[in-house]
Amino acid sequence: MSSAAPTPTRVVPQGRDLTLDLVRVGCVLLVVFAHILYSGVGRGSDGRILIEKTVEQQPWFDVASWIVDIMPLFFVIGGFAARAGWRSAQRRGGSEDQFVRVRLARLARPALPLFAFFSVVLGAARMLGLDPALVDAVAVGVGSPLWFLAAYAITQACAPRMMRLHERWGMRVLAVLFLCVVAVDAVRFLLMRETFGIPSVPADGYGFGEQFFGIPNVLFVWLFCQQVGFLMYDGWFRARTAWQLIALIVGGYGLAAASVPLMGSWWNMLSNQWPPTIPLAVLAVVQAAALTLLHRPLTALTRTKAVQGVMLLISSRLMTVYLWHLPMVMVLIGVELLLPIPMPHPGGAVWWWTRPLFFVLVLAAVLALSLPLMRFEKTPPLQEARFTGATPLAILLFVLPVLGITTYGLDLPLALAALVGTVAALWLTGAFAAPRDQGAMERA
C-alpha cells in the first residue's frame, strides 16, 4: 500500500488490485469502532468517573471476537505486501538491509509524535498530581494497540529471510512455525501456569508472570500469519475450490476451538492477542480462505468511486488513524465530561445508539489531526545506516520498549523509553531526513 497521495483524486494504476488495500483500510476502521465499544465512560451516582470495557461484558462478545478479531488477517496481508515489495526491491538491486530499514521507518516515523505526546501528557499528569488510578486506567487503554508496532516490526524485519525459507521449503516452514507455537503455549499454560502455578503479571508495578513464557509466540504466531500471506501471494488459496476453502474455514475454526480447553487459553480472542496463542495462528488460515472466497464481491466494491475515495483518504494516513484513534477517543470523552450535559450510561440503549455517531466524530477528529502528522507517514529516501549492524540494533531499540508497554501497560518511564528508542532507531537507520522525492518513496 503506497503512502502517497493524500487526496482521493489520485489515479489508480492500471491493473492494480485494490482488494487488499480495501481490506486493510476496513480492518483499521473495524479496530477503531471496536475500541469505541470498549471505551465505556460515565459517572457513578456519587459523581465519580467510571471506566469499563463495555462490549467485553456482553454475553455474545466471546463468540463475536472469533469473527471480528482481524489482526491475523492484517499480518497475512502484510506478508503478501512484503513478498511483492521484496521482489520489486530485488529487481531494482535493493539490499535486504535497505528493505528492512524502509519498513522500520514506516512504523517508527508515525510512532515518534505519539510517544512524544504520551511522554509530555504523562509527565504533566504526574507533576499536577492527578489521581494515579485514573491516569493508569486511561494510559493502559490508550497504550493497548501498541503491541502491533513491535510484532509488525519483527515480522517485517524477518521477511526477506523467511521468504528464502518459503521458496526452498514451502509448507514445511508453516508446519515448523506451528509446532513452535504449540510448544510455546504448552510450556506457558500447561507447565508454567498449571504445573508450577506461576500467576499472571501483576496489574500494577513491574512483576513477573506466566506471560513471559508466551513472548516467543510474538515471533512464531505472527511469522506464521505472515507466511500464510506468502502463500496467498503465490496463488495457493486461489488454486483451491470454493468447497476446499469452506473446509479450511470450518476445519480451522474447529482446530482453534479445540485448542482453547486443551491448552487453557481464552475464548475471547482479544485476550489471546498478548502474548499470541494457537487460535490466532489458525485464524490466519481461516481468514485468508474467507478473503479468497470474498475476493470477487470485494473487487467489485473497489471499482466504485466512493469506495476508492474513502480508501485513498484513509490509506494515505493509515498508521496515524491506528495510532491516534484511542488518544482521540479519550480526549473527546474528556471534553464530554467537562460539558454540562448528561452522559449516557455505558451499555444503555442511548449509549449503544450513539456509538456510530461517536465513531464518525472520532474519525473526523483523527483525520483533522492527521493533517500536520501526514509528513511522518511519508518515508524519505533513506541515508546510509550509521554502521554495519545498525539495523538489527535499531529494531531492538524500537521493539523492546513497546513490548514493555504491552506487558505492563503504558506509564511515564516506558513512554520515555519508547520515545528514546524510536529516536535512536530512526537515527541509526538514516530515516530522519524530510521527504523530498515522492516518486522515490512510492518505489521504495
Side-chain angles (χ1 to χ4, degrees):
M1 186 191 305
S2 172
S3 61
T7 67
T9 57
R10 172 182 163 191
V11 176
V12 178
Q14 186 176 6
R16 180 184 176 98
D17 183 1
L18 293 178
T19 304
L20 295 185
D21 288 27
L22 172 64
V23 173
R24 196 175 339 210
V25 168
C27 285
V28 170
L29 293 180
L30 180 59
V31 168
V32 174
F33 190 65
H35 284 154
I36 287 173
L37 298 184
Y38 253 80
S39 306
V41 179
R43 289 192 181 275
S45 57
D46 57 357
R48 296 184 62 183
I49 298 174
L50 302 176
I51 300 177
E52 63 178 39
K53 297 178 179 179
T54 306
V55 71
E56 200 171 48
Q57 299 174 3
Q58 308 307 310
W60 45 262
F61 178 74
D62 285 354
V63 174
S65 71
W66 286 65
I67 300 171
V68 300
D69 187 346
I70 41 66
M71 295 314 296
L73 182 59
F74 212 104
F75 283 82
V76 170
I77 295 173
F80 186 104
R83 190 142 170 78
W86 176 235
R87 288 194 169 187
S88 176
Q90 285 181 307
R91 286 194 296 269
R92 300 193 309 272
S95 67
E96 178 180 326
D97 184 73
Q98 290 171 330
F99 178 87
V100 173
R101 286 192 296 126
V102 167
R103 271 133 191 89
L104 175 60
R106 290 176 180 173
L107 292 169
R109 283 178 60 86
L112 181 62
L114 183 74
F115 290 139
F117 171 80
F118 285 152
S119 299
V120 171
V121 170
L122 291 173
R126 177 173 294 190
M127 288 189 294
L128 292 172
L130 299 181
D131 181 2
L134 177 60
V135 173
D136 287 347
V138 174
V140 169
V142 298
S144 60
L146 298 181
W147 67 266
F148 171 79
L149 292 173
Y152 206 73
I154 291 170
T155 55
Q156 291 288 292
C158 295
R161 297 188 182 188
M162 295 306 298
M163 278 183 269
R164 286 197 291 270
L165 291 175
H166 171 74
E167 289 160 3
R168 182 173 181 181
W169 301 107
M171 285 285 196
R172 282 171 283 189
V173 180
L174 270 178
V176 170
L177 286 172
F178 189 74
L179 289 175
C180 290
V181 172
V182 173
V184 169
D185 272 10
V187 169
R188 175 189 174 188
F189 294 119
L190 303 182
L191 185 62
M192 296 303 168
R193 190 179 69 184
E194 300 299 329
T195 303
F196 294 118
I198 296 176
S200 297
V201 170
D204 55 348
Y206 300 102
F208 182 77
E210 50 86 7
Q211 289 95 326
F212 278 78
F213 298 96
I215 288 178
N217 267 349
V218 176
L219 179 69
F220 296 133
V221 167
W222 301 125
L223 282 181
F224 180 93
C225 297
Q226 179 174 260
Q227 212 77 10
V228 173
F230 298 163
L231 281 178
M232 178 177 281
Y233 181 88
D234 292 344
W236 188 89
F237 286 92
R238 288 196 307 272
R240 311 274 79 78
T241 66
W243 285 111
Q244 287 173 325
L245 293 172
I246 292 171
L248 278 175
I249 295 170
V250 174
Y253 271 127
L255 177 60
S259 73
V260 173
L262 184 64
M263 288 295 179
S265 56
W266 297 271
W267 292 107
N268 179 347
M269 284 298 106
L270 297 183
S271 296
N272 284 315
Q273 281 189 172
W274 179 257
T277 58
I278 293 170
L280 289 178
V282 178
L283 283 183
V285 178
V286 170
Q287 292 171 355
L291 176 59
T292 305
L293 279 175
L294 295 172
H295 187 270
R296 182 173 295 178
L298 289 175
T299 299
L301 196 59
T302 62
R303 291 178 181 143
T304 63
K305 290 185 178 180
V307 171
Q308 286 189 12
V310 172
M311 287 168 54
L312 294 173
L313 177 66
I314 302 297
S315 65
S316 62
R317 58 205 79 200
L318 201 63
M319 282 301 298
T320 299
V321 173
Y322 180 84
L323 293 175
W324 285 92
H325 73 274
L326 262 179
M328 188 57 67
V329 167
M330 294 305 169
V331 167
L332 292 174
I333 289 175
V335 171
E336 189 177 8
L337 287 168
L338 293 174
L339 293 175
I341 57 174
M343 294 185 67
H345 188 275
V350 174
W351 187 87
W352 282 104
W353 281 109
T354 55
R355 291 313 87 189
L357 178 62
F358 193 64
F359 169 75
V360 173
L361 182 61
V362 169
L363 193 58
V366 173
L367 291 176
L369 179 65
S370 73
L371 295 177
L373 295 178
M374 275 290 294
R375 63 192 184 95
F376 292 98
E377 293 262 3
K378 299 172 182 177
T379 305
L382 302 183
Q383 303 169 3
E384 292 298 320
R386 298 294 172 176
F387 50 83
T388 303
T391 302
L393 177 59
I395 295 288
L396 284 175
L397 290 172
F398 179 65
V399 163
L400 289 178
V402 178
L403 292 178
I405 290 171
T406 310
T407 303
Y408 296 112
L410 180 64
D411 60 13
L412 179 58
L414 287 172
L416 289 170
L419 176 61
V420 172
T422 301
V423 169
L426 291 171
W427 180 80
L428 286 168
T429 53
F432 262 132
R436 298 189 303 272
D437 178 4
Q438 189 66 46
M441 285 185 284
E442 289 193 11
R443 294 189 297 270

